[in-house]
Amino acid sequence: MKLQRMNRRALALGALAVSGALALTACGSDDTGTNGGGTDASATAQAGTVDCGDAKGQLQASGSSAQKNAIDAWVRQYTAACKDVQINYNPTGSGAGITAFTQGQTAFAGSDSALKPEEVEASKKICADGQGIDLPMVGGPIAVGFNVPGVDTLALDAPTLAKIFDNKITKWDDPAIAKLNADADLPDLKIQAFHRSDESGTTDNFTKYLKAAAPKDWKYEPAKSWAAEGGQSAQGSSGVAQQVKQTSGAISYFELSYAADGIKTVDIKTEAAEPVKATIENATAAIGAAKVVGTGKDLALKLDYTPTAENAYPIVLVTYEIVCDTGNKAETLPATKSFLGYMASEQGQGQLADAGYAPMPTEIITKVRETVAGLS
């Protein structure tokens, strides 16, 4: 186990030097918020390298639950050094996080989707002489978890997934599933498809994948809110993951770090020779071609949901930290810059693999660091 952790940390640090590699997870949760009240020995040992600046007081933030486990790890390290700062991150979901930010309730928001034009306009009301911008901070795969008794390995392609989540395929022994899993003993069992009940960047990215990879079978436009009829719903990434864990016949989508405690994940059939497993490395391979499409200080990315390379996992997302480029509140600006700067630092990014996430590529995170340093 210790060797595995060392290998994951080495991978994370190595990924920082890989040009064009990039990855992430999703949003909305009924989990409790994060604060800086607790530290551990590891955090204290590494705390000396954190630049606290003039940071002090409470920092309120909310949004994506996909990044919650990464935020938890960052907060432990950061608050071990910056003891005058308390960070409260509430994983309410991307949509709720953006709303709270544009209403001036939080210093920054986490979102698994970049700001829409109308959200940028709304942000101008609270960003004096500025606007909200997208800072890509953490990446990873969206795993598709399943609970089918007697089945340990399952491969699905985009058309089949689209039909499952659109209630067009309703049994696990359906011929379409059987064709992709010739060696599996598929039961005559009803499929229990779960989707997010809250507005979620995970849903947005998952449906972007379905729309891009199976346009004939997924007729709905990608959005944070679930559009298809049928199925069941649960709140947050942790909520749908829990339903998969406890419900026979269940299937759902969530960030890879939630696929714990024995939850099995689907291998995705692409144009590659073999189905691709949901791993950090494979997600990084898929989104290495991501491009910055934001303008000015905005660093919104365009992801590739239909990769053809071997070992390129196609269902991916990036979580953005959304903050004012100028016009941040004076009382929270020092802590905002200090904490976001730590998240984007080599040390902060180096923690991600251990938490089940992928770091941003060098050329992207360098721009993030420069932008954070210039926040005002």
Side-chain angles (χ1 to χ4, degrees):
M1 184 66 71
K2 181 177 181 181
L3 180 59
Q4 291 175 341
R5 288 198 298 268
M6 292 174 64
N7 288 339
R8 289 199 300 270
R9 185 171 296 278
L11 172 65
L13 294 174
L16 289 169
V18 177
S19 176
L22 153 65
L24 188 132
T25 96
C27 88
S29 174
D30 53 355
D31 298 333
T32 58
T34 298
N35 63 60
T39 62
D40 55 29
S42 175
T44 302
Q46 299 184 40
T49 61
V50 179
D51 181 7
C52 302
D54 297 325
K56 60 182 178 180
Q58 290 194 356
L59 195 62
Q60 304 291 340
S62 66
S64 164
S65 70
Q67 70 169 355
K68 179 185 181 295
N69 295 333
I71 290 282
D72 286 349
W74 280 326
V75 167
R76 282 194 297 272
Q77 294 283 11
Y78 178 82
T79 55
C82 306
K83 300 183 184 301
D84 292 332
V85 182
Q86 181 180 14
I87 299 169
N88 300 301
Y89 182 82
N90 191 0
T92 54
S94 293
I98 291 172
T99 297
F101 173 74
T102 57
Q103 292 178 349
Q105 299 172 9
T106 56
F108 69 90
S111 176
D112 306 317
S113 299
L115 289 167
K116 298 182 183 300
E118 59 270 23
E119 292 169 338
V120 173
E121 284 301 311
S123 72
K124 293 179 180 179
K125 298 178 182 178
I126 57 101
C127 300
D129 298 321
Q131 65 179 52
I133 55 173
D134 301 286
L135 301 178
M137 196 70 77
V138 58
I142 300 173
V144 180
F146 70 96
N147 181 349
V148 183
V151 178
D152 293 326
T153 302
L154 185 70
L156 297 173
D157 58 15
T160 305
L161 274 170
K163 292 172 185 175
I164 287 173
F165 281 94
D166 196 23
N167 205 34
K168 299 294 192 296
I169 293 178
T170 59
K171 290 290 190 70
W172 279 111
D173 60 353
D174 186 276
I177 301 176
K179 183 178 180 180
L180 294 166
N181 299 274
D183 296 331
D185 184 14
L186 298 168
D188 178 14
L189 177 67
K190 182 180 178 181
I191 295 174
Q192 308 281 354
F194 285 88
H195 58 266
R196 292 281 292 275
S197 61
D198 52 322
E199 286 197 354
S200 161
T202 311
T203 295
D204 192 20
N205 284 275
F206 181 64
T207 54
K208 282 178 180 175
Y209 159 74
L210 294 177
K211 187 68 173 179
K216 294 181 180 178
D217 298 293
W218 190 258
K219 304 297 185 182
Y220 312 96
E221 288 303 313
K224 293 187 183 75
S225 298
W226 188 256
E229 297 181 1
Q232 302 176 69
S233 65
Q235 174 83 10
S237 297
S238 61
V240 291
Q242 182 63 28
Q243 289 297 330
V244 170
K245 183 178 179 181
Q246 67 187 22
T247 305
S248 179
I251 186 171
S252 190
Y253 55 92
F254 37 79
E255 189 274 324
L256 182 61
S257 70
Y258 288 89
D261 300 326
I263 296 179
K264 303 178 182 68
T265 60
V266 173
D267 299 340
I268 303 299
K269 184 71 177 73
T270 66
E271 295 301 317
E274 298 294 331
V276 185
K277 295 186 179 297
T279 67
I280 293 170
E281 298 89 339
N282 292 346
T284 299
I287 57 181
K291 295 180 174 60
V292 175
V293 293
T295 59
K297 295 181 180 180
D298 188 87
L299 299 177
L301 301 174
K302 182 176 182 179
L303 301 175
D304 181 8
Y305 295 101
T306 58
T308 59
E310 298 295 324
N311 298 317
Y313 185 80
I315 318 177
V316 294
L317 62 76
V318 166
T319 293
Y320 301 93
E321 311 312 328
I322 295 170
V323 66
C324 295
D325 55 357
T326 63
N328 291 279
K329 294 180 180 179
E331 61 269 26
T332 58
L333 178 60
T336 299
K337 292 180 67 173
S338 176
F339 183 55
L340 293 181
Y342 171 71
M343 292 161 66
S345 70
E346 184 172 344
Q347 181 183 347
Q349 291 287 298
Q351 291 182 253
L352 291 176
D354 280 351
Y357 299 88
M360 294 294 97
T362 299
E363 69 276 15
I364 297 296
I365 204 63
T366 298
K367 294 178 181 178
V368 172
R369 291 167 186 160
E370 293 171 351
T371 303
V372 170
L375 295 178
S376 62

